[in-house]
């Protein structure tokens, strides 16, 4: 059964293996992550697979991931707090399958692309219901943050992601260009989708 856990060092080796599968591409918490310094005083960070090989480096990365949920954590100007969860199967509790991020509130950029929740699944674990289960499991956490309904976006050509969202009660609110905008209930059903803020 698919479960969610907060980022943890027990996933070290499987996280690195998943990183290889993603080819270094950044996908909602997977792959290389680079944030340059900015004029607001953010010092910037860079996490790469090579840099995460050492256990102590991965431990720092896990702490950084956990800290992203704090309001007072350093982050690029304009970024919002986000709580990260990592998916695993309870038959293999140390095997990282993917990531789910709950952004605590929307900003202008997230209203246009990304929304409240983003998820990714390592290629070898796709088409096994991991994304659908992960989204279902994270919705109560979004509700605890006062998010209801949650805005999710996906590419108009990404049929798999559309199915994941719709399987979790997502209601299509709008299609703008190549992006589909959905409202997903976290506590109460979406009857009439509100306009995109």
């Amino acid at each position: 059964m698919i479960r969610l856990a907060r980022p943890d060092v027990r996933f070290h080796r499987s996280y690195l293996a998943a990183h290889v599968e993603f080819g270094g591409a950044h996908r909602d918490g997977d792959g290389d992550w680079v944030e340059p310094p900015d004029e607001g005083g953010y010092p910037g960070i860079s996490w790469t697979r090579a840099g995460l090989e050492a256990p102590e480096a991965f431990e720092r990365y896990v702490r950084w991931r956990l800290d992203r949920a704090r309001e007072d954590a350093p982050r690029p100007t304009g970024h919002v707090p986000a709580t990260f969860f990592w998916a695993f199967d309870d038959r293999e509790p140390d095997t990282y399958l993917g990531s789910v991020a709950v952004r605590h509130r929307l900003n202008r950029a997230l209203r246009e692309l990304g929304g409240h929740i983003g998820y990714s699944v390592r290629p070898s674990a796709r088409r096994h219901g991991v994304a659908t289960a992960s989204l279902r499991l994270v919705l109560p956490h979004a509700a605890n943050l006062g998010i209801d309904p949650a805005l999710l976006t996906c590419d108009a050509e990404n049929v798999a992601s559309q199915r994941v969202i719709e399987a979790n009660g997502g209601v299509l609110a709008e299609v703008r260009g190549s992006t589909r905008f959905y409202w997903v209930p976290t506590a109460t059903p979406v009857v009439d989708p509100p306009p995109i803020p």
Side-chain angles (χ1 to χ4, degrees):
M1 182 176 293
I2 302 302
R3 307 276 189 200
L4 295 180
R6 297 301 307 282
D8 191 281
V9 294
R10 79 176 199 251
F11 295 107
H12 187 193
R13 299 321 304 174
S14 66
Y15 185 92
L16 295 181
H19 193 290
V20 172
E21 291 180 22
F22 278 109
H26 168 67
R27 296 276 307 270
D28 283 301
D30 297 304
D32 291 344
W33 191 292
V34 178
E35 293 174 346
D38 68 27
E39 295 176 358
Y42 181 66
I45 55 90
S46 176
W47 300 106
T48 63
R49 189 194 184 286
L52 295 175
E53 277 286 344
E56 58 274 12
F58 192 74
E59 184 176 354
R60 286 194 303 275
Y61 174 72
V62 165
R63 280 198 311 270
W64 176 78
R65 263 281 168 255
L66 295 170
D67 283 347
R68 298 298 273 203
R70 293 184 9 242
E71 283 287 337
D72 63 346
R75 61 179 50 84
T77 302
H79 283 212
V80 302
T83 301
F84 284 85
F85 297 89
W86 288 353
F88 67 98
D89 189 314
D90 57 9
R91 294 170 295 185
E92 297 182 68
D94 297 339
T95 300
Y96 173 91
L97 300 178
S99 180
V100 186
V102 180
R103 294 126 190 168
H104 295 195
R105 57 184 172 271
L106 297 175
N107 59 19
R108 180 178 295 182
L110 292 172
R111 286 184 185 98
E112 294 295 322
L113 186 65
H116 286 107
I117 300 173
Y119 50 85
S120 63
V121 176
R122 66 189 292 177
S124 63
R126 292 176 186 164
R127 297 181 182 84
H128 297 287
V130 175
T132 301
S134 296
L135 179 54
R136 175 179 46 82
L137 291 168
V138 86
L139 291 173
H141 297 282
N144 288 341
L145 291 167
I147 300 167
D148 188 39
L151 179 66
L152 275 77
T153 70
C154 72
D155 191 272
E157 296 182 2
N158 190 341
V159 176
S161 194
Q162 293 171 37
R163 289 179 178 154
V164 167
I165 295 168
E166 291 168 2
N168 280 283
V171 175
L172 182 64
E174 185 179 335
V175 178
R176 194 184 310 152
S178 62
T179 304
R180 294 170 69 92
F181 295 80
Y182 286 90
W183 289 111
V184 180
T186 65
T188 55
V190 176
V191 179
D192 294 314
I196 306 303

